[in-house]
Amino acid sequence: MIERAGTGWQTILADLSLILFMISASALRYEKEKPPEERASAQGEPLAFYEADAGAPPIGEWLAAQSPDERQQLTIVARYGPNGQARALEEVGRLAREAQAKGMPARIVVEPVARADDTGTSAMLAYDVPGAGMARDLLRDNKAKSNP
């Protein structure tokens, strides 16, 4: 008598893994085909966080205390409630000018929120400078330089 090998949970898990891989690869391919103006602004995981409130030091002092790196980008986010857009724009502009004076240009995000508890202005430093690339981009660039 010949025994049949049954299908177990390992086969199902392998199939699901392949499906997930194919969907992810397809999504990445689609994202790379989009023109730069249609891509969402990439935001990395924040390394340092600044909350602009009454007791906070000036953003210039906060930036001076951080470890500078050309791949880091400063993102200033202002969240405003009803009738607070003008004040939020003024605050984010002030912070951006202070950061620019310290040599750190800022990406600015201004967005409305529904709850008054969610309003405020903050800044984050993250490794998300557009075009700075990832390790695989550096490898590709090194190969291109060695093979003219």
Side-chain angles (χ1 to χ4, degrees):
M1 176 180 265
I2 300 173
E3 291 185 35
R4 279 185 53 189
T7 58
W9 62 270
Q10 296 95 343
T11 305
I12 295 170
L13 187 59
D15 288 345
L16 291 174
S17 297
L18 284 171
I19 291 169
L20 180 61
F21 172 76
M22 291 184 329
I23 291 171
S24 300
S26 175
L28 287 173
R29 181 175 164 256
Y30 174 72
E31 186 67 25
K32 287 184 179 184
E33 289 175 354
K34 285 184 182 177
E37 61 274 4
E38 290 182 20
R39 293 181 193 167
S41 180
Q43 294 186 358
E45 194 66 32
L47 302 169
F49 188 78
Y50 175 84
E51 188 70 37
D53 54 8
I59 196 167
E61 287 181 25
W62 176 76
L63 286 169
Q66 307 308 313
S67 300
D69 190 317
E70 62 194 26
R71 297 169 296 164
Q72 293 177 353
Q73 180 167 0
L74 176 67
T75 302
I76 302 174
V77 179
R79 294 177 178 87
Y80 64 91
N83 302 320
Q85 184 180 29
R87 187 173 60 242
L89 288 169
E90 182 180 313
E91 176 70 8
V92 79
R94 181 184 64 78
L95 290 174
R97 286 188 297 278
E98 288 180 27
Q100 182 66 44
K102 293 294 183 180
M104 179 66 81
R107 168 178 43 199
I108 298 172
V109 178
V110 181
E111 57 190 9
V113 293
R115 295 177 9 168
D117 296 349
D118 296 336
T119 62
T121 305
S122 58
M124 293 150 285
L125 271 176
Y127 285 104
D128 56 5
V129 171
M134 303 287 279
R136 63 179 172 264
D137 297 331
L138 296 173
L139 180 62
R140 184 189 66 233
D141 292 345
N142 285 339
K143 285 181 181 178
K145 288 178 185 175
S146 63
N147 297 327

